[in-house]
Amino acid sequence: MSKRWVLKDAADDSTVQQLSAALNISPILSALLAHRGITSFDEAKYFFRPNELHLHDPFLMKDMEKAINRIEQAIANREKVMIYGDYDVDGTTAVALTYSFFSKLYDQLAYYIPDRYKEGYGISNQGIDYAAENGFTVVIALDCGIKSVDKIAYANTRGVDFIICDHHLPGDELPAAVAILDPKRQDCDYPYKELSGCGIGFKLIQAYAEKNDLPFEDVAEYLDLVAISIACDIVHITGENRVLAHLGTQKINTNPCIGVKMLMEVAGKTKDYTISDVVFLLGPRINAAGRIDDARHAVELLIACHEDAAREKGDMINIRNTERKGHDLQITEEALSVIDNNAALIARKSTVVFNENWHKGVIGIVASRLTEKYYRPTVVLTRSNGHVAGSARSVLGYDLYEALCGCSDLLIQFGGHKYAAGLTMKPENVPAFMEKFEEVVSTTITDDLLVQQITIDAELELKDIDSKFYRILTQFSPFGPENMSPVFISKNVYVSGNAGLVGGNHVKMFIMQPGSAAFSCIAFNHAEYLPLLKNNVPFDVCYTIEENIWRDQRTIQLNIKGIRFK
C-alpha cells in the first residue's frame, strides 16, 4: 500500500536560531525541539534532563486527599482492602504496583482481577459480591470504574467503599464512590491529563508516601511497572509521562523488579530496552496471561519476591504467549480471507468481521493487523457469554469512539479511546451494526485519512549524521505517541555495494550521498523495491536513526520507512 509523505511545516526561524546558539546544536535539532513546543534554554534543559523533581504534586489531583484519608482510616481500623484492576497490561501493572507498595505496610490486603470471559471489562457485580462476602470494606479500583455508575451504586448497598483510579473519559454522571482519581474529570485541575491507569496508581502511592513521610525510594522501586504501562497502553509520552517513562526504562535497564527481570529473560533480551522493546517483547507476554488463561498469573509474576517462583510464572506466561501467537495468526488469516474474497467488503471504508468461534482474547490484536492491511477503522467481533464482543481500532486522525457513539443504539456497552475501543452487543444486532458502522464512518471520514501517512520532521543530508548528532537525538527519547522518533528525508541517495534480502521480506543495504559515508540501512517489508535498488539509480528515503547492536558492537543504522524513485 502506497503511503503519503508529509513534511511538517518549518519551525519558526528565530526560535530555531536562538535555540541553536543557546544549546550549541544544529538547526535541525533545534527545529525538532521547536516542533515539540520547546522555545528556550530552560525548557530544553527540562526536556533533556527529566528527573523526579519534575513530577507533579499528587495532591493537585481532585479527591486525592479523600482517597488517602480513606486508606489511612482502613489501615487504622484493620479493615480488609482489595486492589481491583483490569486484565490488560495497564491494569495488571497497576494492581501489582499498588498491592506491592501497600503489602509492605499492611497485611489485610488482597487483589482481584475480573475474568476476561466470565465478567468482562471493568468493575463487575461478581467482584463486588466477592468483596462483600469476604469482608472487604474498601476496594481500590485501577484502570477502570469511571463509568461504573450502576456498579458503584450496587457496591454502596453492600457496604463496600470504592476508590476509583482511572484515566478514561468520564461519562455525564460520575459514580458515587468515596474518591475518584481521574485527571480527565472536568473538575480536576491536575496539570497533566494523559497518565496511564498504572500512572494514577503511582500518584496514589506517591501521595500516601508523602503524607506518611516515606522516602521517594519506596515509591521509585515501582517505576519499571509504570514505564511498562505507559508503553503498552499507548498513552502520550509527553510531560509527566515522559519523566515516568524515562525513569522507568532506566530502572528496567539497571535494576528491574524480579518479575520484570524474568520476563526479560524469557523474551530473550536482558538489556538496552527502549519503549518499543517493552511494547513488542514484554507487553504481549503480560497480556497473554489474561488473553489465554488468567491475568492473575501476570500479577503473581510482577509481585514475585523470589526468583524461582518468578521464573516458573515467567516460563508459563511465555508458553501462553506462544499459544496466543497461534490463535492470532490463524484468526488473522481467516479474517483476511473473508475480506479478500468479497469485492463489496474491499470497497468499504470500514472493516467489520464476525466469527462466533474466534478466540476473544486475541481479537484486539487481529483488529490491529487488519487495520495495518486495509488501513481503515476496523471492528473484529466474536461470541462471548451469550453476547457478541468486539475490539475496534482506528487510523490516524479518525475518532473511533465518536463513531461508536453514532452506533450506540445497537450496543449494550462500549468504551475506550480515540484509536482503540471495546464493545458488546446482542447477536441479532450484528448485521445492523455492520451497516450502521459503515454508514457512520463513510460519512465522517475523509479520503486522505484512509491513506497511511509518513510524517517527516526534516530534510537531512547524510553527511550531517555524526556521533554528536546521534548522541543529542537519543536524548529526545523515550519515544512514543506525541514524541515519536524523528523521521528524516534524504534525497538523491544511492545504494553502495549490493542490496539484499534478510528474513525473506526485508531489505538490507548501505546508502550514501556524494561526500557522505555509507550508512547501513534496514527496510522492513520493502522486498518489492529490491529489483529497483541499483548502484547508479538515485532515490529518496525517509527513515529514523537508530543504534544497531550486534555482538556488542554498536553502529548507527537507518530504519527505512519509505523509498521513492523519481
Side-chain angles (χ1 to χ4, degrees):
M1 180 184 291
S2 62
K3 299 177 182 179
R4 288 182 299 131
W5 293 21
V6 179
L7 184 64
K8 286 183 180 177
D9 293 337
D12 177 72
D13 189 53
S14 62
T15 301
V16 170
Q17 289 182 23
Q18 288 170 15
L19 285 170
S20 291
L23 300 169
N24 188 29
I25 60 175
S26 76
I28 288 172
L29 292 167
S30 296
L32 296 178
L33 289 172
H35 276 139
R36 285 158 172 74
I38 296 159
T39 59
S40 68
F41 177 86
D42 287 341
E43 288 173 354
K45 183 180 177 184
Y46 183 98
F47 180 79
F48 282 134
R49 301 288 180 268
N51 63 71
E52 66 266 20
L53 298 176
H54 295 165
L55 299 175
H56 299 304
D57 177 355
F59 286 100
L60 294 174
M61 198 175 293
K62 179 81 172 176
D63 279 4
M64 184 63 81
E65 196 83 49
K66 291 180 184 177
I68 299 302
N69 288 344
R70 185 63 186 93
I71 293 169
E72 289 176 337
Q73 178 190 334
I75 292 173
N77 295 338
R78 301 287 297 165
E79 296 176 65
K80 291 178 76 174
V81 178
M82 178 192 286
I83 314 298
Y84 186 112
D86 189 24
Y87 40 68
D88 67 359
V89 175
D90 196 14
T92 51
T93 52
V95 168
L97 171 146
T98 309
Y99 179 85
S100 296
F101 174 81
F102 283 112
S103 65
K104 291 184 176 179
L105 308 170
Y106 188 57
D107 61 356
Q108 296 297 301
L109 202 63
Y111 61 86
Y112 186 99
I113 308 287
D115 186 283
R116 186 183 204 111
Y117 304 106
K118 295 174 185 172
E119 298 170 73
Y121 166 78
I123 295 166
S124 68
N125 283 344
Q126 190 175 325
I128 294 166
D129 290 339
Y130 179 88
E133 289 159 11
N134 289 277
F136 291 92
T137 51
V138 177
V139 175
I140 301 172
L142 297 144
D143 192 34
C144 59
I146 194 63
K147 286 189 170 182
S148 301
V149 175
D150 295 343
K151 298 290 192 291
I152 301 304
Y154 175 63
N156 290 337
T157 69
R158 302 224 55 184
V160 180
D161 287 345
F162 265 77
I163 295 167
I164 292 172
C165 306
D166 204 351
H167 69 127
H168 297 97
L169 280 169
D172 295 332
E173 182 183 356
L174 292 177
V178 168
I180 301 173
L181 307 179
D182 187 337
K184 293 190 176 81
R185 287 177 62 166
Q186 287 192 343
D187 59 351
C188 182
D189 294 329
Y190 192 74
Y192 189 71
K193 303 295 184 183
E194 304 300 331
L195 292 169
S196 64
C198 185
I200 306 286
F202 180 83
K203 300 309 293 188
L204 180 75
I205 67 171
Q206 183 191 0
Y208 186 91
E210 284 185 13
K211 190 172 179 191
N212 290 274
D213 297 320
L214 300 173
F216 182 73
E217 289 72 28
D218 289 4
V219 176
E221 66 178 284
Y222 306 109
L223 282 165
D224 47 359
L225 299 177
V226 182
I228 292 169
S229 80
I230 288 170
C232 298
D233 218 52
I234 322 295
V235 293
H236 294 177
I237 300 190
T238 55
E240 190 168 34
N241 272 350
R242 187 168 174 274
V243 177
L244 291 166
H246 172 80
L247 297 173
T249 48
Q250 274 188 340
K251 188 168 191 305
I252 288 170
N253 286 317
T254 55
N255 183 31
C257 72
I258 290 172
V260 172
K261 181 182 176 186
M262 289 305 131
L263 266 183
M264 293 162 71
E265 285 188 12
V266 298
K269 180 181 171 77
T270 57
K271 59 182 181 180
D272 298 318
Y273 268 73
T274 64
I275 288 292
S276 181
D277 292 326
V278 171
V279 170
F280 291 108
L281 296 177
L282 304 187
R285 287 172 167 80
I286 296 172
N287 257 333
R291 292 186 191 280
I292 304 300
D293 191 357
D294 186 339
R296 288 179 65 90
H297 295 310
V299 178
E300 288 165 6
L301 171 66
L302 295 173
I303 67 173
C305 298
H306 302 288
E307 286 203 6
D308 288 346
R311 182 170 285 108
E312 185 180 324
K313 284 291 177 190
D315 288 341
M316 189 195 73
I317 281 175
N318 207 40
I319 291 168
R320 296 290 175 268
N321 189 51
T322 303
E323 292 175 29
R324 187 272 307 167
K325 286 180 184 176
H327 288 299
D328 161 13
L329 293 172
Q330 178 191 340
I331 295 171
T332 300
E333 286 178 11
E334 291 176 8
L336 286 172
S337 70
V338 168
I339 303 165
D340 291 344
N341 295 318
N342 188 319
L345 292 182
I346 292 173
R348 289 188 165 217
K349 294 189 176 180
S350 70
T351 297
V352 183
V353 287
F354 169 60
N355 184 316
E356 63 180 25
N357 298 315
W358 286 341
H359 195 295
K360 186 188 173 191
V362 299
I363 58 173
I365 300 168
V366 174
S368 294
R369 295 198 190 286
L370 296 184
T371 305
E372 288 171 14
K373 171 73 185 288
Y374 287 103
Y375 204 69
R376 59 197 190 190
T378 297
V379 184
V380 179
L381 303 168
T382 189
R383 285 295 286 260
S384 177
N385 292 333
H387 292 131
V388 169
S391 197
R393 298 292 182 269
S394 192
V395 296
L396 183 67
Y398 186 73
D399 195 327
L400 177 71
Y401 187 85
E402 283 297 314
L404 291 176
C405 287
C407 307
S408 59
D409 58 315
L410 297 169
L411 304 176
I412 297 172
Q413 64 178 32
F414 67 98
H417 303 285
K418 182 175 181 178
Y419 294 121
L423 56 148
T424 310
M425 71 186 78
K426 294 177 180 178
E428 60 266 29
N429 285 346
V430 170
F433 175 78
M434 288 179 166
E435 297 308 314
K436 185 67 176 287
F437 188 71
E438 169 65 15
E439 178 189 325
V440 171
V441 171
S442 61
T443 54
T444 54
I445 199 165
T446 54
D447 287 342
D448 62 311
L449 293 182
L450 293 168
V451 179
Q452 198 164 357
Q453 173 177 308
I454 300 174
T455 302
I456 298 167
D457 291 85
E459 184 173 349
L460 187 61
E461 297 288 323
L462 293 180
K463 63 180 173 57
D464 292 330
I465 304 173
D466 56 19
S467 57
K468 179 186 177 183
F469 184 92
Y470 179 72
R471 187 178 72 249
I472 297 170
L473 191 65
T474 59
Q475 294 175 43
F476 282 73
S477 68
F479 296 120
E482 303 300 317
N483 185 46
M484 299 300 286
S485 182
V487 177
F488 301 101
I489 182 172
S490 293
K491 297 179 178 178
N492 294 316
V493 305
Y494 294 83
V495 173
S496 174
N498 294 316
L501 285 185
V502 292
N505 199 34
H506 315 310
V507 175
K508 184 77 176 163
M509 61 182 171
F510 285 83
I511 63 169
M512 60 188 300
Q513 288 174 319
S516 83
F519 283 88
S520 172
C521 302
I522 184 72
F524 292 107
N525 300 311
H526 277 69
E528 71 270 23
Y529 288 92
L530 186 63
L532 304 173
L533 294 167
K534 307 296 184 186
N535 287 104
N536 58 347
V537 179
F539 56 97
D540 301 342
V541 287
C542 56
Y543 54 89
T544 56
I545 305 174
E546 60 189 24
E547 191 173 52
N548 184 42
I549 305 171
W550 175 248
R551 294 178 178 169
D552 291 330
Q553 294 292 311
R554 296 171 181 264
T555 55
I556 290 176
Q557 174 176 273
L558 309 185
N559 188 326
I560 304 296
K561 304 299 180 183
I563 297 172
R564 186 172 64 187
F565 286 87
K566 301 298 184 185

